[in-house]
């Protein structure tokens, strides 16, 4: 089948006009998406990170109250088991992971 050059030109113009709408959100949020992907990768590596049995969830800054209550009641042993709790969000896991790592670094340097 033959395609008219005029129709083809209109199609190309339409596609070129749509490209900014497709790529604009990616361009605007690329840094945020990269940061989130880094957190996901870090969590995947640290899913088996042990949570100290004597951890005081109330001493973790910025930990949401709902997550604090869930974690205090359940007392999960690992970051992976904490992820299964209702009320514990990915951002909560990142906070918890950083807190545990910072505490263990402080204990080894003290």
């Amino acid at each position: 089948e033959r395609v008219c050059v005029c129709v083809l030109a209109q199609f190309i113009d339409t596609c070129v006009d749509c490209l900014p709408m497709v790529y604009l959100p990616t361009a605007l949020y690329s840094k945020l998406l990269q940061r989130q992907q880094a957190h996901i990768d870090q969590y995947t590596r640290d899913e088996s990170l042990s949570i100290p049995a004597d951890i005081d969830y109330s001493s973790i800054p910025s930990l949401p109250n709902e997550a604090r209550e869930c974690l205090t009641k359940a007392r999960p042993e690992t970051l992976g088991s904490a992820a299964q709790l209702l009320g514990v969000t990915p951002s909560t896991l990142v906070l918890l992971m950083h807190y545990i790592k910072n505490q263990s670094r402080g204990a080894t340097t003290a």
Side-chain angles (χ1 to χ4, degrees):
E1 294 186 19
R2 296 186 136 175
V3 177
C4 176
V5 174
C6 298
V7 173
L8 187 58
Q10 276 184 319
F11 176 75
I12 291 172
D13 283 343
T14 304
C15 290
V16 170
D17 290 341
C18 291
L19 282 176
M21 289 187 296
V22 172
Y23 291 106
L24 184 62
T26 304
L28 288 174
Y29 298 110
S30 66
K31 291 288 185 192
L32 177 63
L33 294 172
Q34 288 172 356
R35 193 174 334 134
Q36 286 181 337
Q37 187 60 49
H39 285 164
I40 290 167
D41 294 342
Q42 186 177 23
Y43 169 73
T44 303
R45 285 191 308 270
D46 294 327
E47 192 174 12
S48 61
L49 181 69
S50 293
I51 300 174
D54 62 343
I55 191 168
D56 179 14
Y57 293 107
S58 63
S59 66
I60 303 175
S62 304
L63 194 66
N65 288 331
E66 181 182 6
R68 189 171 310 205
E69 290 173 16
C70 291
L71 291 165
T72 302
K73 283 182 186 176
R75 308 300 291 174
E77 294 179 6
T78 64
L79 210 55
S81 57
Q84 303 301 315
L85 297 173
L86 197 60
V88 176
T89 64
S91 59
T92 299
L93 294 171
V94 171
L95 284 170
L96 184 57
M97 178 178 54
H98 287 295
Y99 180 81
I100 293 168
K101 286 186 173 188
N102 287 338
Q103 292 299 312
S104 65
R105 259 188 241 127
T108 56
T109 59

